[in-house]
Amino acid sequence: MFGYNVFFFSFIIILPNTLRFSFTAKLKILEIRNVTPSAIEQYCIRVQLCISYEKNDFCLYNNLMTMDAHNTLYIKMKWETELQQDISQETWEEICSEVHRVTCSNNWRELKWKMVVRYFRAPHITGRSGTSATSGRWRNYRETDSNFIHTFWSCKKLKKYWDNVYLALYDIFKIRIPQDPLTALLGVVPAGFERRDNLYLLQILLAATTKEITVNWLKPTVPTCQSWIERVWQLYRMEEITFDLRLQRETFLKRWSPALFIMF
């Protein structure tokens, strides 16, 4: 949001006079619709209409400082809209904190964080700019609602993949894990995972699951359970080397022992 507003301000300053006039007309329409401009937008309006140039830099600085650049509630609202359910503040804070506990690798933690903040551009967005099918279709399927949840979870072509992964997770943990996007995509801790070792392994396995989907990004092909197991094997070898370097072999074996049978 912060980056958008800075871009918005820069864009207004360099607009030709004719386009500025058009923009002013659009703002009047927003006023008629009772849409309140943000603080930075109000500042840009004042500059554009030449209402006041006194202490412009100081006013701009104050407006920028009032923005909370670290607030992620707008991301939570996007998830709630697509999931069609509320996410409590406590649950959201838990989601954000668990991101930093996925594997010992910063790259994999970054991948998990990208999932939470919706970094990947779904086809319903890329289709607008012509970088994918303009219809917004996904994996050559006739459905056109290719939003973030559809791309990673509800697409019918992914159903078999997720079903097989969840069967494997049950064989590993002997616990029925909720088959929903809150757990699969956002890493919400399911009931029965009091042990930190089991939760650590679960988050790694789920991260590998979403990684396989991104590998096939914007392609008609879908991942398979076998490709997921191969990805888990790569993570297993990375973790093994890391824990050996830390002289924590016992900790590594304790955490990974439930999943060894799917790889060997």
Side-chain angles (χ1 to χ4, degrees), residues 96-111:
C96 293
S97 63
E98 282 296 324
V99 169
H100 304 286
R101 300 170 183 170
V102 178
T103 81
C104 299
S105 167
N106 288 332
N107 288 337
W108 279 90
R109 291 174 182 174
E110 180 183 353
L111 172 70

Side-chain angles (χ1 to χ4, degrees), residues 61-73:
Y61 176 78
N62 282 340
N63 286 328
L64 293 176
M65 290 301 294
T66 60
M67 300 178 185
D68 189 353
H70 302 288
N71 194 322
T72 59
L73 294 182

Side-chain angles (χ1 to χ4, degrees), residues 26-89:
K26 291 181 180 179
L27 286 176
K28 290 181 179 178
I29 295 175
L30 293 178
E31 291 177 0
I32 295 174
R33 296 178 179 176
N34 295 323
V35 177
T36 304
S38 65
I40 189 65
E41 289 172 339
Q42 292 175 13
Y43 171 81
C44 292
I45 294 170
R46 290 198 302 272
V47 173
Q48 179 180 321
L49 298 179
C50 303
I51 294 176
S52 174
Y53 281 101
E54 183 180 357
K55 298 181 180 179
N56 274 344
D57 293 339
F58 179 74
C59 293
L60 174 61
Y61 176 78
N62 282 340
N63 286 328
L64 293 176
M65 290 301 294
T66 60
M67 300 178 185
D68 189 353
H70 302 288
N71 194 322
T72 59
L73 294 182
Y74 72 98
I75 301 175
K76 181 171 83 77
M77 292 175 61
K78 289 183 179 181
W79 280 108
E80 290 174 332
T81 300
E82 291 193 10
L83 291 171
Q84 296 184 349
Q85 66 180 98
D86 293 332
I87 301 175
S88 67
Q89 183 63 27

Side-chain angles (χ1 to χ4, degrees), residues 7-212:
F7 171 78
F8 176 83
F9 171 74
S10 303
F11 182 70
I12 291 299
I13 294 300
I14 65 174
L15 276 176
N17 290 334
T18 54
L19 293 180
R20 289 189 184 184
F21 177 81
S22 176
F23 175 74
T24 305
K26 291 181 180 179
L27 286 176
K28 290 181 179 178
I29 295 175
L30 293 178
E31 291 177 0
I32 295 174
R33 296 178 179 176
N34 295 323
V35 177
T36 304
S38 65
I40 189 65
E41 289 172 339
Q42 292 175 13
Y43 171 81
C44 292
I45 294 170
R46 290 198 302 272
V47 173
Q48 179 180 321
L49 298 179
C50 303
I51 294 176
S52 174
Y53 281 101
E54 183 180 357
K55 298 181 180 179
N56 274 344
D57 293 339
F58 179 74
C59 293
L60 174 61
Y61 176 78
N62 282 340
N63 286 328
L64 293 176
M65 290 301 294
T66 60
M67 300 178 185
D68 189 353
H70 302 288
N71 194 322
T72 59
L73 294 182
Y74 72 98
I75 301 175
K76 181 171 83 77
M77 292 175 61
K78 289 183 179 181
W79 280 108
E80 290 174 332
T81 300
E82 291 193 10
L83 291 171
Q84 296 184 349
Q85 66 180 98
D86 293 332
I87 301 175
S88 67
Q89 183 63 27
E90 181 181 356
T91 301
W92 183 248
E93 291 175 359
E94 175 189 310
I95 291 170
C96 293
S97 63
E98 282 296 324
V99 169
H100 304 286
R101 300 170 183 170
V102 178
T103 81
C104 299
S105 167
N106 288 332
N107 288 337
W108 279 90
R109 291 174 182 174
E110 180 183 353
L111 172 70
K112 191 67 175 180
W113 185 249
K114 285 180 177 179
M115 175 62 61
V116 172
V117 301
R118 303 165 63 89
Y119 171 84
F120 304 101
R121 301 177 66 200
H124 81 295
I125 294 178
T126 57
R128 299 172 189 170
S129 59
T131 54
S132 67
T134 55
S135 65
R137 294 188 179 183
W138 179 239
R139 302 187 180 99
N140 292 340
Y141 196 70
R142 63 184 177 183
E143 293 181 359
T144 58
D145 186 21
S146 302
N147 57 21
F148 204 85
I149 291 296
H150 175 87
T151 305
F152 279 95
W153 179 257
S154 61
C155 177
K156 292 184 178 180
K157 285 194 173 185
L158 284 176
K159 186 179 186 304
K160 181 178 180 181
Y161 172 65
W162 279 112
D163 287 345
N164 290 336
V165 167
Y166 266 85
L167 286 174
L169 293 179
Y170 176 76
D171 291 338
I172 292 171
F173 299 106
K174 308 304 180 185
I175 297 176
R176 291 291 180 188
I177 301 170
Q179 194 164 341
D180 62 64
L182 277 177
T183 299
L185 303 181
L186 294 176
V188 173
V189 180
F193 273 80
E194 289 80 11
R195 288 184 55 192
R196 187 68 226 175
D197 292 335
N198 283 349
L199 180 58
Y200 179 86
L201 179 59
L202 174 64
Q203 296 290 14
I204 290 178
L205 298 178
L206 291 177
T209 307
T210 54
K211 175 64 176 179
E212 281 305 295

